[in-house]
Amino acid sequence: MTYVSDPAAPRIAIAGATGAVGNTLIELISSRGLRHRGVRLAASARSAGRTVEVDGRAQVVEDLDGFDFTDVDLAFFSAGTSVSEKWARPAAAQGALVIDNTNAFRMDPDTPLVVPQVNADVLLAGRPASGIIANPNCSTIPLVRLLQTVEQRWGIRQVVVSTYQAASGQGQHGIAELREGSALALSDPDAELPADRFKPALAFNVVPFIDKLLDTGFTMEEQKMLQESRKILGLPHLDVTTTCVRVPVVNSHSEAVWIEATEPVDRAELVGRLAALPEVTVHDKDTPGGFPTPRTAGEPDHVHVGRIRVAPHNPRGFWLWLVADNVRIGAALNAVQIAEYVLDRGLL
Amino acid sequence: MTYVSDPAAPRIAIAGATGAVGNTLIELISSRGLRHRGVRLAASARSAGRTVEVDGRAQVVEDLDGFDFTDVDLAFFSAGTSVSEKWARPAAAQGALVIDNTNAFRMDPDTPLVVPQVNADVLLAGRPASGIIANPNCSTIPLVRLLQTVEQRWGIRQVVVSTYQAASGQGQHGIAELREGSALALSDPDAELPADRFKPALAFNVVPFIDKLLDTGFTMEEQKMLQESRKILGLPHLDVTTTCVRVPVVNSHSEAVWIEATEPVDRAELVGRLAALPEVTVHDKDTPGGFPTPRTAGEPDHVHVGRIRVAPHNPRGFWLWLVADNVRIGAALNAVQIAEYVLDRGLL
């Protein structure tokens, strides 16, 4: 973390500092050397009063109720949708630019939804009317980072995605529940497993249900991937359909992505274009190790892509397999990269 | 197991009796009361000499090398593709009708590929020219049991499948490796995990690679699902494309299935037609528990279907989520049901 006295450097607040994404935000602000004039921590009453280490020093988490944002330039929110719904607009009204990690404002027309590698230019219009910039869903971010180049070169007719989402999408409690359930199941196959964050229990299971069910029969998580992709890519009729599934992986989401383009796709050109994208690693060796998995992908700040193959019977259709760290790329890193873009261009 | 002196009852042999599928075959022949005049067990040299319990009595496994099939009417093979390649044709030449669980003969034009609920009528033509009936791949069987009714009512334009396949697809050694790796990973996050059956290790991971890689970039497992579906359904141009992924589940495969029909699909009619299929359970409640998972699906001899939903933007497109016990429905049960069909109709 780089404290500077430069009055152009922002005063930062982090709401939700005690969670998995909040912890990673603090780590990334430090490791990436984001210049600032101080970081304050906030949370809802339940977590206020705890201490969190910031750059090696224990710092007390303040209560969002009564928190004064008038001296804050940049506020990261990652304490859940209901917390953002309650406190993000007041923070923005007090003058802070809010970067919100939740679902609260993503589809708000006054709030840009930003993946810096894809559509950062929407930020050049200046401070959003809502005072908020929204961070997309963890599964949407890596997907749109790959879709943009496909759309520009070949056009997209349809995208069909099945996800393999990690326990860390439910934060540290989700990880703990998976670990506890797995240990129990190993010691006693008939044990009743904890099923609070995941229903039914996730240990040695796959659960095709994330977030709540909508009238359409799709889950909110599945609808997010459609609506957010359309907004980020500026393609209001983009056809993305998804089944979102939780898998017993600790961290990093995977996605099996089928894309039908409007033009025939040359595989070598596709591989070359994906490999040329910023912070994307293509795994394209013919060995069994030549594809990414959550535990072996490597560089956590890259989107990892493998199993790239055009259908023999349909030269417009191809598969991708992507793996991305959902806490970093899918949340905290994307938020910090939004902040870097804003600060680098003096847009605060 | 029902031993009878009726000369119409078959003398049975089971090659691969020591494996997960072989064990389940023995259990099913017994629990379903398949009439027979004795069961002999066989295996390759590595496993010969072991004893396996048949109907409560320990029975010695004989060596396939030198095994005399002249007194066998019905021979189940589930000892791996290379064993079937070597011994299934000699067994058939000696007069046994072979029901083969491996990939060795599935695409052989002289060998019917049968899912009894779908295309048992191909068996009415009499003893196959090869003397062999092939059992399809574990992921193909539950899929085609659902596709047939969709094709007949609405027509199928395209099927896009992502699988979530259990460790038991690699038999008892696969299950043991998952359990051992999971225990190690829980006790030490940096432990090197066993990766013999699954590469990289499967514990707390998902591995998008099953069987070997083909020149097309697809795996053999993925190609099987296309070619076998076409053969079973008698639709040589059926468009099925797949990503096959191993997940850290002990038993039961799941599949996220996107189907684009040629006609608009009425969801209620679709649910009704799927629910009316033999040995299929539709999970269609609006609660978070209203979908099947490998650990909670219930009745192991049914194909379980849930998350049935038509895309709001495309009335021809819909998703299914299916769960099926890969050792039973995907292998042993299908083989026993083939035998039952053959015996019931006096086709032996």
Side-chain angles (χ1 to χ4, degrees):
Chain A
M1 202 152 304
T2 308
Y3 177 87
V4 293
S5 57
D6 177 357
R11 294 159 298 183
I12 292 175
I14 298 177
T18 56
V21 173
N23 283 349
T24 307
L25 270 170
I26 293 168
E27 187 263 293
L28 285 169
I29 288 172
S30 175
S31 65
R32 295 175 71 91
L34 194 83
R35 290 155 49 94
H36 65 80
R37 285 186 291 149
V39 174
R40 289 168 63 197
L41 308 180
S44 55
R46 188 166 45 88
S47 299
R50 291 197 217 170
T51 59
V52 168
E53 207 163 279
V54 177
D55 230 12
R57 281 177 306 203
Q59 198 168 318
V60 176
V61 178
E62 303 172 56
D63 195 331
L64 267 170
D65 195 355
F67 191 97
D68 183 4
F69 282 92
T70 52
D71 288 334
V72 171
D73 301 300
L74 199 57
F76 295 94
F77 273 73
S78 62
T81 297
S82 61
V83 172
S84 287
E85 281 170 347
K86 188 165 181 188
W87 299 110
R89 285 195 193 276
Q94 289 184 312
L97 179 67
V98 172
I99 300 178
D100 185 49
N101 264 307
T102 77
N103 191 41
F105 304 100
R106 288 177 186 154
M107 299 314 295
D108 171 25
D110 292 333
T111 299
L113 182 65
V114 176
V115 177
Q117 295 84 351
V118 176
N119 68 333
D121 54 351
V122 300
L123 297 173
L124 297 173
R127 183 181 171 92
S130 65
I132 301 167
I133 301 168
N135 216 34
N137 180 264
C138 49
S139 297
T140 308
I141 291 172
L143 179 66
V144 296
R145 284 176 57 176
L146 305 180
L147 289 185
Q148 190 178 45
T149 194
V150 176
E151 167 66 16
Q152 288 171 349
R153 173 62 182 85
W154 293 282
I156 294 174
R157 199 190 76 81
Q158 186 183 35
V159 182
V160 181
V161 185
S162 298
T163 71
Y164 301 71
Q165 295 182 231
S168 61
Q170 282 287 310
Q172 288 155 344
H173 294 286
I175 295 173
E177 185 171 299
L178 170 61
R179 292 177 58 91
E180 188 191 335
S182 300
L184 264 170
L186 285 170
S187 65
D188 172 10
D190 299 321
E192 193 171 323
L193 307 184
D196 177 29
R197 302 282 161 163
F198 309 111
K199 287 189 175 78
L202 184 60
F204 300 105
N205 206 7
V206 293
V207 179
F209 197 95
I210 299 177
D211 209 325
K212 63 183 181 192
L213 196 68
L214 306 176
D215 289 342
T216 55
F218 286 75
T219 60
M220 177 70 92
E221 184 85 351
E222 290 158 354
Q223 179 176 284
K224 285 176 193 169
M225 289 186 71
L226 170 61
Q227 293 186 336
E228 296 180 15
S229 296
R230 288 176 168 179
K231 180 169 176 176
I232 296 162
L233 294 167
L235 299 168
H237 304 292
L238 182 69
D239 184 353
V240 177
T241 193
T242 309
T243 292
C244 288
V245 182
R246 192 74 71 182
V247 295
V249 163
V250 173
N251 190 45
S252 286
H253 290 355
S254 305
E255 303 178 25
V257 184
W258 166 257
I259 301 175
E260 215 170 319
T262 54
E263 301 290 329
V265 173
D266 178 72
R267 184 185 174 283
E269 184 184 350
L270 174 63
V271 168
R273 283 182 181 266
L274 294 175
L277 291 173
E279 297 151 270
V280 169
T281 297
V282 171
H283 301 241
D284 197 39
K285 290 170 292 181
D286 280 355
T287 62
F291 51 84
T293 76
R295 283 180 57 97
T296 61
E299 173 53 71
D301 292 344
H302 278 204
V303 177
H304 295 268
V305 191
R307 302 292 329 273
I308 301 170
R309 59 205 194 277
V310 178
H313 58 283
N314 175 3
R316 291 172 176 77
F318 63 91
W319 283 99
L320 305 172
W321 169 260
L322 74 82
V323 176
D325 184 321
N326 50 300
V327 173
R328 297 174 74 93
I329 287 180
L333 179 63
N334 196 77
V336 170
Q337 289 179 324
I338 290 173
E340 289 171 347
Y341 187 90
V342 166
L343 295 170
D344 287 353
R345 281 158 191 79
L347 295 168
L348 199 62
Chain B
M1 202 153 307
T2 308
Y3 177 88
V4 293
S5 59
D6 177 358
R11 295 158 298 184
I12 292 176
I14 297 177
T18 57
V21 173
N23 284 348
T24 307
L25 270 170
I26 293 169
E27 187 262 294
L28 285 169
I29 288 172
S30 175
S31 64
R32 295 176 69 91
L34 194 83
R35 291 154 49 94
H36 64 79
R37 284 185 290 148
V39 174
R40 288 168 63 198
L41 308 180
S44 54
R46 189 167 43 87
S47 299
R50 292 197 215 171
T51 58
V52 168
E53 206 162 280
V54 177
D55 231 11
R57 281 175 306 203
Q59 197 168 320
V60 176
V61 178
E62 303 173 58
D63 195 332
L64 267 170
D65 195 355
F67 191 98
D68 184 3
F69 283 91
T70 51
D71 289 333
V72 171
D73 302 299
L74 198 56
F76 294 95
F77 273 74
S78 62
T81 298
S82 62
V83 172
S84 287
E85 281 169 347
K86 190 167 181 185
W87 300 111
R89 284 195 193 278
Q94 289 183 314
L97 178 67
V98 173
I99 299 178
D100 186 48
N101 264 307
T102 77
N103 191 40
F105 304 100
R106 289 177 186 153
M107 299 314 296
D108 171 25
D110 292 332
T111 299
L113 182 64
V114 176
V115 177
Q117 294 83 351
V118 176
N119 68 333
D121 55 350
V122 301
L123 297 173
L124 298 173
R127 183 181 170 90
S130 65
I132 301 168
I133 301 168
N135 215 35
N137 180 265
C138 49
S139 297
T140 308
I141 291 171
L143 180 65
V144 296
R145 284 176 57 177
L146 305 180
L147 289 185
Q148 190 178 44
T149 193
V150 176
E151 167 67 15
Q152 288 171 348
R153 172 63 182 86
W154 292 282
I156 294 174
R157 202 191 74 80
Q158 187 183 33
V159 183
V160 180
V161 185
S162 298
T163 71
Y164 301 70
Q165 294 182 232
S168 60
Q170 282 287 308
Q172 287 155 345
H173 294 286
I175 294 172
E177 185 171 300
L178 170 61
R179 291 178 58 91
E180 188 191 335
S182 300
L184 264 170
L186 284 170
S187 64
D188 172 9
D190 299 322
E192 193 171 324
L193 307 184
D196 177 28
R197 302 282 161 162
F198 309 111
K199 288 190 175 73
L202 184 59
F204 299 104
N205 206 8
V206 292
V207 179
F209 197 97
I210 298 177
D211 209 323
K212 64 185 179 190
L213 195 68
L214 305 175
D215 289 343
T216 55
F218 286 75
T219 60
M220 177 70 93
E221 185 85 353
E222 290 157 354
Q223 180 177 282
K224 284 176 193 169
M225 289 186 71
L226 170 61
Q227 292 186 337
E228 296 180 15
S229 296
R230 287 175 168 180
K231 181 169 176 177
I232 297 162
L233 294 168
L235 300 168
H237 304 292
L238 182 69
D239 184 353
V240 177
T241 192
T242 309
T243 292
C244 288
V245 182
R246 191 74 71 183
V247 295
V249 163
V250 172
N251 190 45
S252 286
H253 291 354
S254 305
E255 304 179 24
V257 184
W258 166 257
I259 301 176
E260 214 170 317
T262 54
E263 301 290 330
V265 174
D266 177 72
R267 184 184 176 283
E269 185 183 349
L270 174 63
V271 169
R273 284 181 180 266
L274 295 174
L277 291 173
E279 296 151 272
V280 168
T281 297
V282 171
H283 301 240
D284 196 39
K285 289 171 292 181
D286 280 354
T287 62
F291 50 84
T293 75
R295 283 179 57 98
T296 61
E299 172 55 70
D301 292 345
H302 278 204
V303 177
H304 295 268
V305 191
R307 300 296 326 275
I308 301 170
R309 58 205 194 276
V310 177
H313 58 283
N314 176 3
R316 291 173 176 77
F318 63 91
W319 283 99
L320 305 172
W321 170 260
L322 74 83
V323 176
D325 184 321
N326 50 299
V327 173
R328 297 173 76 92
I329 287 180
L333 178 63
N334 196 77
V336 171
Q337 289 179 324
I338 289 172
E340 289 170 348
Y341 187 92
V342 165
L343 296 170
D344 287 352
R345 281 156 191 79
L347 296 168
L348 197 63

